[in-house]
Amino acid sequence: SQQGEEDPQALSIQEGENATMNCSYKTSINNLQWYRQNSGRGLVHLILIRSNEREKHSGRLRVTLDTSKKSSSLLITASRAADTASYFCATDEKLVFGQGTRLTINP
Amino acid sequence: DGGITQSPKYLFRKEGQNVTLSCEQNLNHDAMYWYRQDPGQGLRLIYYSQIVNDFQKGDIAEGYSVSREKKESFPLTVTSAQKNPTAFYLCASSISKTGDGNTDTQYFGPGTRLTVL
């Protein structure tokens, strides 16, 4: 069973623009995490948001969580070429990952 | 340097052969995990271990086996029973187990790309 589902599957924007990707899940959670994966590499943890939190910031990252809609969003502001990667959300039930959003930042 | 390592980075195997992928961590983490990733797809959990000498099947354990004789090591064997083993394999560790409402961040290794010829 797949818990986190990211949307869109692919996103291409210009450097300097903001990138927003979404994650939906099916069952109640204690918290939700976002990870980044550069091509052919392992995943890197970005941010964790707990179920009693609505918004969290880390540098250029902003994560929101709406437990009533069972959804989360990741906003990357002032995007850079180095942000090009796949982004995954994962929920706390054995950290089930979705298929990810492939983000491409065009210079 | 603290971290989690996987070897080899690339691995080629003839059909019908077993092959073992290495995963080592010096983070003193209790929990370790193995995932499989196919092109353009997310991660699927193969096996996980919450403590030494104990491990649990994930969503796609068939055709795989693991051992956890040491805290630092969690090798994965891809057996000949795995029908489509060509994939990217990722190992991860965390301070403690997940799934009991006590989620911990997972730290990932660089991955092993297995190709069956």
Side-chain angles (χ1 to χ4, degrees), chain A residues 1-2 30-31 33 35 37 40-45 48 50 88 91-100 102, chain B residues 35 37 40-43 45 48 57-59 88 90 98-106 108-111 113:
Chain A
S1 61
Q2 200 146 21
N30 291 303
N31 42 59
Q33 301 185 45
Y35 288 78
Q37 183 183 31
R41 307 292 294 272
L43 277 68
V44 174
H45 178 258
L48 181 153
R50 300 194 184 279
F88 295 88
T91 56
D92 58 3
E93 195 63 32
K94 290 188 296 183
L95 276 193
V96 180
F97 291 86
Q99 294 187 351
R102 292 186 302 281
Chain B
Y35 294 91
Q37 186 178 34
Q41 301 297 311
L43 279 66
L45 182 65
Y48 65 102
K57 291 182 179 180
D59 298 322
F88 188 50
L90 285 162
T98 63
D100 65 348
N102 182 30
T103 299
D104 285 298
T105 299
Q106 290 195 6
F108 284 80
R113 190 167 298 281

Side-chain angles (χ1 to χ4, degrees), chain A residues 17-50:
Chain A
E17 294 180 340
N18 295 343
T20 299
M21 53 207 89
N22 304 296
C23 169
S24 60
Y25 57 91
K26 295 176 182 174
T27 61
S28 296
I29 61 171
N30 291 303
N31 42 59
L32 183 146
Q33 301 185 45
W34 284 92
Y35 288 78
R36 184 187 73 227
Q37 183 183 31
N38 290 90
S39 181
R41 307 292 294 272
L43 277 68
V44 174
H45 178 258
L46 295 176
I47 198 166
L48 181 153
I49 186 165
R50 300 194 184 279

Side-chain angles (χ1 to χ4, degrees), chain B residues 15-30:
Chain B
E15 199 167 345
Q17 287 181 336
N18 292 357
V19 63
T20 298
L21 283 60
S22 168
C23 178
E24 305 277 334
Q25 54 97 2
N26 61 4
L27 300 167
N28 200 33
H29 285 173
D30 283 320

